[in-house]
Amino acid sequence: FFSFSLLNAIYSKHFLYITFIKENNSSMNIYISKRASKSFYEGQVILKGFFDDLLIAKVNEKIKPVKLMHKTWKGKPKLDYELTASQKLASHDVYKYLSNGKDVILYASTGAGKTEICFESICGYLAQGKKVGFAISRRQVVLEIATRLRKAFPELSICEVAQGYTQITDADIIVCTTHQLYRYPYAFDLLILDELDAFPFAGNEVLQAIANQACVGQKLMLSATPDEESMRLVEEKKIE
C-alpha cells in the first residue's frame, strides 16, 4: 500500500468520494457508489466495495479548509469595449443579489457576455479580500476563460487547473474544471459555475456535491439553457 494523507472527502446517501495525496504529491480519487459504478474522465480511480480499517480511519479525519492566498485588490477590469446598458444593469443586479447573500443564476444566450457581466462581482469580492473561483465543465473552456481573465485583469495572477495544468493551483483568481474542485474544500467566497447545463456537471450529484463543498459564500451560475430544477429554485426565490 502507499503512504498518503487525506485531502478531501464528500459523503452522500448515494456515494462516498475521497481524495488522497500520495508521497509524490499526486492525487488519487476513490469513488464508492451504492448504485451502479459511474465513470470520470480526469484519471479518477473507481473502486467498489468496503474500505479496510486504515482507509476508514483516514476518511474519518476532519476535512480542513484548503490554505490559499487572499489578496485585497481594489481595481477595475480593462476591456476593449464598453458594456451595453443591458449588460451593465445585469452586472449591477447580479452583484447586488450576491452581496445580499443570495446565489444567482445568470440566464442568457451564448455570446451575450455572461463572463463580462461577472466582472463587477469579481471586483467586489476581491476588494474585500475574498477568494474567487471560476469552475467550468470543459478543459478547453477553462483555458479560454483563463486567457480572457488575464487580459481583463493584468494586475492579478490567474491560474488554470485542469488535466495537464496542475503544477500551480493557487492564484488571485482560480479557473478550474468542475472535477478539480475536489482540491478546494471550503475555499471560495464566490464560486462562478459556467456551463451549468453542460456534461459532465449537469445531473452529476458527485460534481455538484464537490462544488457545494468548495463554496463557503455565494455561487454565481451561468447558463444558456438552465434545467427545470434551476428554474424551479428561481421561482421559489431560493436563488435569484
Side-chain angles (χ1 to χ4, degrees):
F1 206 66
F2 55 85
S3 176
F4 64 89
S5 60
L6 180 67
L7 172 65
N8 200 355
I10 296 176
Y11 305 86
S12 163
K13 63 181 179 180
H14 299 307
F15 64 84
L16 177 61
Y17 187 84
I18 311 165
T19 299
F20 300 105
I21 298 297
K22 301 180 189 178
E23 289 177 317
N24 63 1
N25 205 34
S26 64
S27 63
M28 173 180 176
N29 298 325
I30 297 178
Y31 175 82
I32 291 184
S33 176
K34 296 179 182 177
R35 302 176 299 182
S37 176
K38 295 175 184 276
S39 62
F40 297 84
Y41 55 75
E42 281 205 4
Q44 280 91 339
V45 178
I46 300 176
L47 301 177
K48 290 174 68 69
F50 296 96
F51 290 110
D52 59 26
D53 292 341
L54 181 60
L55 287 174
I56 287 294
K58 285 292 181 182
V59 170
N60 286 336
E61 293 179 7
K62 183 178 180 180
I63 305 303
K64 299 177 181 179
V66 64
K67 294 181 180 179
L68 300 172
M69 67 173 72
H70 284 74
K71 178 178 182 177
T72 300
W73 181 78
K74 298 181 179 181
K76 294 184 178 181
K78 292 179 170 56
L79 299 176
D80 294 333
Y81 51 87
E82 186 176 355
L83 297 183
T84 67
S86 296
Q87 288 172 326
K88 289 179 180 178
L89 179 60
S91 177
H92 297 333
D93 285 346
V94 165
Y95 184 50
K96 177 183 70 176
Y97 288 126
L98 292 171
S99 298
N100 289 331
K102 299 283 286 186
D103 291 342
V104 176
I105 183 165
L106 180 55
Y107 174 21
S109 62
T110 301
K114 293 188 291 295
T115 301
E116 287 71 22
I117 289 172
C118 297
F119 288 174
E120 180 177 346
S121 298
I122 291 173
C123 292
Y125 276 74
L126 291 177
Q128 302 173 64
K130 295 184 175 182
K131 197 68 180 180
V132 176
F134 215 121
I136 307 125
S137 293
R138 293 182 292 156
R139 175 181 179 273
Q140 185 57 41
V141 181
V142 166
L143 304 182
E144 293 171 3
I145 293 294
T147 298
R148 290 167 65 182
L149 290 176
R150 284 192 181 96
K151 184 176 180 180
F153 299 98
E155 299 173 22
L156 299 177
S157 61
I158 313 291
C159 73
E160 53 271 272
V161 184
Q163 186 177 22
Y165 292 83
T166 58
Q167 296 301 310
I168 299 174
T169 57
D170 191 14
D172 296 325
I173 301 176
I174 296 170
V175 188
C176 65
T177 59
T178 50
H179 282 86
Q180 294 289 339
L181 284 173
Y182 76 80
R183 297 178 182 272
Y184 303 103
Y186 314 114
F188 298 112
D189 300 292
L190 173 62
L191 178 59
I192 302 169
L193 291 165
D194 199 359
E195 296 189 330
L196 188 67
D197 51 308
F199 176 85
F201 187 80
N204 189 314
E205 62 181 2
V206 177
L207 295 180
Q208 290 170 5
I210 293 172
N212 288 335
Q213 185 203 53
C215 182
V216 294
Q218 289 72 50
K219 292 193 290 291
L220 172 52
M221 297 160 281
L222 315 182
S223 179
T225 54
D227 59 17
E228 292 182 3
E229 175 64 14
S230 297
M231 298 311 296
R232 182 184 65 80
L233 292 174
V234 171
E235 291 176 0
E236 294 176 359
K237 296 297 182 181
K238 293 182 178 179
I239 61 176
E240 292 293 342

